[in-house]
Amino acid sequence: MALTRDFKHTAVERVKRDPAFAKALLDEAANLFLNGEPDTARLILRDLVNATVGFEALATATAKPSKSLHRMLSENGNPSMDNLAAIFGAIRQSLRVGILVHTVEIA
């Protein structure tokens, strides 16, 4: 049997010790949402929540039940834009970062 580590566990540990990695994941989640890949973005957000604020604190910050937030950020979740904004806001506050969006012209 090969000795491997669970990717999610590894990602959570790295987010906790490497603020630049955490910010890069938040940036990637935002880019994925804006570029039409919400499934992957939700999974990245779920890992970020687990590594930063946690689902119980997120529930308090968003006034949404923890179980609902788990479902929203699951593989088949379907969060509303208001809920996504609240989730991004809580993670941004936890990481103490802002999000600046740039647009580029596609030829």
Side-chain angles (χ1 to χ4, degrees):
M1 177 190 308
L3 295 176
T4 61
R5 293 183 62 167
D6 179 37
F7 171 76
K8 290 179 185 180
H9 180 72
T10 302
V12 167
E13 282 184 358
R14 181 154 180 210
V15 166
K16 288 181 179 181
R17 74 173 188 274
D18 186 352
F21 180 69
K23 292 172 189 174
L25 282 178
L26 183 62
D27 182 59
E28 183 64 17
N31 278 310
L32 287 166
F33 269 117
L34 293 172
N35 287 302
E37 296 185 53
D39 298 342
T40 305
R42 280 192 313 274
L43 298 177
I44 290 172
L45 282 177
R46 183 183 61 201
D47 289 342
L48 276 169
V49 168
N50 281 322
T52 57
V53 296
F55 275 93
E56 292 305 318
L58 181 63
T60 300
T62 60
K64 302 287 180 200
S66 177
K67 282 188 174 188
S68 293
L69 293 166
H70 276 282
R71 280 191 297 271
M72 285 180 213
L73 297 179
S74 71
E75 188 173 336
N76 298 315
N78 190 19
S80 70
M81 288 301 292
D82 289 345
N83 289 332
L84 281 174
I87 293 166
F88 268 103
I91 295 171
R92 279 187 324 98
Q93 187 174 20
S94 174
L95 296 176
R96 302 174 82 176
V97 298
I99 295 177
L100 180 61
V101 178
H102 295 276
T103 59
V104 294
E105 193 170 319
I106 298 175

